[in-house]
Amino acid sequence: MVQRVETQRRKAYVIRLTTAQLMVALVGILMAYPVARMPGVFSVATGALVALLPQAFFIQRMGILHSKRTSRSGVDLFRAEAGKFGLTVALFSAVFVVAPPSNPAFFFSAYVAVVLMHGLTPLFMRRHRTLD
């Protein structure tokens, strides 16, 4: 019973975090359009994707949303985090080699804003206190 509640809490946190990150990306896109038009929008979207795709990989690898049993092994956590880091490095490399952003300030601002939502999302979470 406690395991099930904990799993539901993790799923709710991941869903809220992802929603908050997508909202930050959307706000960034809406703010970039009047200033730099489509090149700015592309830079913001690319920066947001470089932050969101490794997180999606980590969530999938840890089985937080789709698995009946979430992974609790430290080795699994290390592998998922190492894969997330490797994917981040690969995405940064690919972006700057294949399609360099027209406005690096928008690119890095979007990336940092999306990544910082990890620290800000707990402030938006409702605290459920139980009396034991």
Side-chain angles (χ1 to χ4, degrees):
M1 179 68 177
V2 174
Q3 177 76 18
R4 184 170 177 228
V5 171
E6 182 66 21
T7 302
Q8 289 174 346
R9 188 185 65 78
R10 281 191 191 126
K11 286 181 183 180
Y13 176 78
V14 167
I15 290 169
R16 286 188 180 146
L17 172 63
T18 305
T19 302
Q21 288 176 322
L22 290 171
M23 294 301 294
V24 165
L26 179 64
V27 168
I29 288 170
L30 293 174
M31 290 174 61
Y33 183 75
V35 176
R37 301 287 178 208
M38 289 312 290
V41 168
F42 180 72
S43 294
V44 170
T46 306
L49 281 175
V50 169
L52 288 170
L53 290 177
Q55 178 198 340
F57 171 83
F58 181 83
I59 291 168
Q60 186 274 334
R61 183 79 174 163
M62 290 299 293
I64 294 171
L65 293 179
H66 301 294
S67 178
K68 296 285 184 195
R69 190 177 136 258
T70 59
S71 177
R72 293 197 159 263
S73 169
V75 173
D76 290 340
L77 176 65
F78 177 74
R79 286 182 182 161
E81 192 63 41
K84 179 180 173 181
F85 179 74
L87 185 57
T88 301
V89 170
L91 287 172
F92 266 110
S93 300
V95 164
F96 284 109
V97 169
V98 175
S102 63
N103 193 331
F106 284 161
F107 174 82
F108 285 111
S109 295
Y111 176 80
V112 168
V114 170
V115 170
L116 283 180
M117 287 309 295
H118 281 284
L120 297 176
T121 301
L123 297 175
F124 303 124
M125 297 285 288
R126 284 186 248 155
R127 301 272 181 194
H128 295 288
R129 297 184 187 253
T130 58
L131 299 175
D132 292 322

